[in-house]
Every structure is written in structure tokens, then in C-alpha cells.
Amino acid sequence: MSNTIIVGLQWGDEGKGKIVDYLTESSDIVARAQGGSNAGHTVINDGVKYVLHLVPSGILWPTKKCVIGNGVVIDPLGLLEEIAKIRSQGVTITPDNLFISEHAHLTLPYHRKLDLAREKNRGANAIGTTGRGIGPTYADKIERQGLRVTDLRNAAKLAQEIEWRAALHNMELEAAGYDRINVAEVVVEIEAAAVELRPYIVNTVVYLNEAIAAGKKVLFEGAQGSYLDIDHGTYPFVTSSNTTAGGACTGSGVSPRKIDRVVGVAKAYTTRVGAGPFITESEEMSDMLHNMGREFGATTGRARRCGWLDAVLLHYAVMINGCDHLAITNLDGLDGLATIKICTAYRLDGKVQNHPPATIPELERCEPIYEEHEGWLQDISGMTKYADLPPKAKAYLSRLSELAGAPVSLLGVGPARDQTLVV
Ligand code: GDP
Ligand code: IMO
Ligand code: MG
């Protein structure tokens, strides 16, 4: 019995895809429960690189089932493109291994356009979204004017359902100085996509709960990270869903009582893509990692901002998510450093602060309090056993675990499937 939630503990891109891929072997079903195609999860297997946006990473295992749950926002055109791309890499995707929730909300072309228009309107306060229409789709859902996957089933009413929504959003686009969406074109595109997607649509709540009752193990693949959570993140520089563990339950219709463990994924340092406060940001770390060809976004290709491990954030995220274990990735990214810093607390207006404050001005005034660790100055990417790691690398991990308040159970020393070590 083991239904596991995998959740990011930082600002996304922690290596969740790789950890989900690793844990899929001992699961039956992999389910996404929130976010949309803003996610970019990289899995490298036998030298082939796969980037998953909406399709759960479990799809790479031929015998496993994958679910896109009710809490996800689905861009039908983007999803079909993604399916075609993954298929072209030799992966089988059929209505027998991919199940799409009838309750999930749809991202339509006007949402993408609204995302860009609203970002432009924010000017210097822009969030740096992925431009995938995520915010406007969730806004429509909460405003109770969204279109859902189940609406794709009703061919007779689909055009009408799209038309009044598009007309509404066209008013905003026009007022903001953008071209109106060509509604007729959108209708034709979505009607065609509906025909292709219909065979995949099911009640995934029933599917998941019946599977669990039959003893199947579900892995919930989190997207984004805890500090992009709409409630707990660095608001307003966040995404529009609950990225923390609770989101896995509301976004799948599986009760919290059916969850057995929560595994938090974090990098051995910190990265963030997009705007917003980042207390341990470091030019030295950004330059080093970018020069190694690392830390460029999987969805937008943007260079990620990089910095030292922030244990204040880690500890708080472990608390919110109730992490039983940690999976620490990218430890090999620190191989070349003689000195490695960990932020253990903040100083805010002369006072020591152990939790992230709520407002952006306060976050911006926080100064990191660092402790320094000696680096191991050794390539660890070829190591296959935790026991073989240099003692200084073990000491760093052990301090990280102590500060975070949870044991480390998995460790990444490289991007490939076999570069995951059991601790
Ligand atoms: P996700 O969104 O959380 O799935 O993470 P991304 O795939 O966006 O970003 C993580 C990046 O780190 C990807 O390029 C992965 O291939 C890579 N990665 C994951 N784990 C490791 C690791 O332990 N070492 C190295 N070198 N790369 C890793
Ligand atoms: P994965 O699942 C990293 C960031 C964007 C922006 C903010 C809001 O790969 O970890 P949005 O498009 O969601 O409205 O953008 O959130 N963001 C991510 N950053 N990894 C992600 O997903 C992200 N998804 C969104 O850069 O700052
Ligand atoms: Mg990513």
C-alpha cells in the first residue's frame, strides 16, 4: 500500500520528472493533479531526452497507466502536439494508458493571448509567466465561466459554448489594444481536437478510486513548486494553482486518507525562473551553472536564476507538505565549488527570521544568513552507491536534511535514470 505525492519544494524545476520516472517502476498509475503546460518535466533515459508538459512522466513506462486529473488545466491543441511529439520518440499513447478527466478545465487560444496581454499590462510588475494561458484559465474556472473537458463531448453545443466566452474575452483583448481572436477559427480547431481527444475522456475520480480500492499504487506527479503555490508562494509571483501536497487530493478526487507518503523534491541549490524575490540568488552560482550548460528552462528555454540552498524555504515547505522523505537532485552541480553556502535564516530589519515573510517588500529586505561548507571538489556523477560519495558531500546532505527536518531517501548525481541513488 503506497500512494505517494511527489511535490516540488522550491520554485519548480527541482527534478520532479526524473524522480517520478524513477519511482514509476514501483507504482501502477501516475497522475497529474494541477498546473498545465506551464510544467516542463525532463526525463533522460537511454540517452533520449523527453520533455513532458501535460502528459504524466509515467507514460515512458509501457505497462503503466497515466491520468490527467480534474485539477489540471488542459490546452487541447498543446496536448495533441505533445502527444504527437512523444509518439515520434517511440512512446505508445492510447486510450488504454492515458486517461483525461472530464472535469478538467480547458485552456483555449484566447487564454494564451490574455496571458500575454495581462503580462504586458503589468509592465515592470510582470510575473514572467510561461505564456501558456494558465492564469486566465484558472481565473475563468474560479469565476465559474470555464469550459471543461466534458464539453468537448457535445459536438452540437461546442461552437456555441466557445463563442460567447470568446466574445467576452475579445472585449478585454480589444480594450488592451490586441487583435481580437478569430472565433470561427478557434471553433474549427477545437472541434477537430475534440474528435481526437474524446476516446481518452473518463471520470478519472472513479478510475483512480477504484484502482486504489483494488490495491493499485498511485504516484501523484506535482507540477511547479511550493513557492509558486497560489496560497503559500511568493504571491503575486506565483502560478495559479495549489502546487503543494493538498493540491494532489483536490486535483484528483482522491481523499487525503488514501495518501501514504509525501516525497519532497529539491535541488541541492536553488533556482527560479520568472520574476519575484529570491533571497539566496547568486551571480557566482548562475554563471557557474550556465557555463556548464545547465539551468535553462524546459518549457520556455529561459535561463534560470540560480543561488545557494535556502534552508528557510526548505524547512517551511517540508512543514506545509508534510514530507516524509526528500529527494535531493543535482548534487553534482556543486562538484566544482571549494566553498558551498547554505542559508539557515534571514535577517529582516535587524531581527532573525526563520520563516519567509508574507509580503514582497519584506522578502526583498531579507538578508540571507549563511553558513559555509567545504566542497568535495570531485566529480560524483559516475557514482552508483551512496556509500561511495565523498565524506564532505555526505556531510552537506546530512546538514541539509537536519535543517529541512526530513530524511533524504533519494539523491540525484546526474540527469539520467541510473544517476539516482538510494540513500
Ligand atoms: P521538473 O520540472 O521538476 O521536472 O525539473 P526540470 O526537468 O524542469 O529541470 C530539472 C533539470 O535538471 C533537467 O534538466 C533534468 O534533466 C536535470 N536533472 C534532474 N536531476 C538531476 C541531477 O541529479 N543531476 C543533474 N546534473 N541534472 C539533473
Ligand atoms: P515545473 O513543473 C518553474 C513560473 C513562471 C512564472 C510563474 C507563473 O516544470 O516545475 P505561469 O505560466 O504558471 O502563470 O507562470 O511560475 N512557473 C514555473 N517555474 N517550473 C515550472 O513548472 C513552472 N511553471 C510556472 O516562470 O514565474
Ligand atoms: Mg520544469
Side-chain angles (χ1 to χ4, degrees), residues 11-13 16 38-41 128-130 223-224 228 238-239 273 302:
W11 278 292
D13 301 330
K16 298 175 294 292
N38 49 350
H41 297 176
T129 71
T130 59
Q224 291 78 51
L228 291 172
V238 293
T239 190
V273 56
R302 291 179 289 178

Side-chain angles (χ1 to χ4, degrees), residues 2 20 140 206-207 214 279 281 318 337 386 394 400:
S2 186
V20 168
D140 270 0
V206 173
Y207 177 77
I279 293 167
E281 187 167 18
V318 164
L337 291 169
Y386 172 75
K394 286 183 184 160
L400 176 160

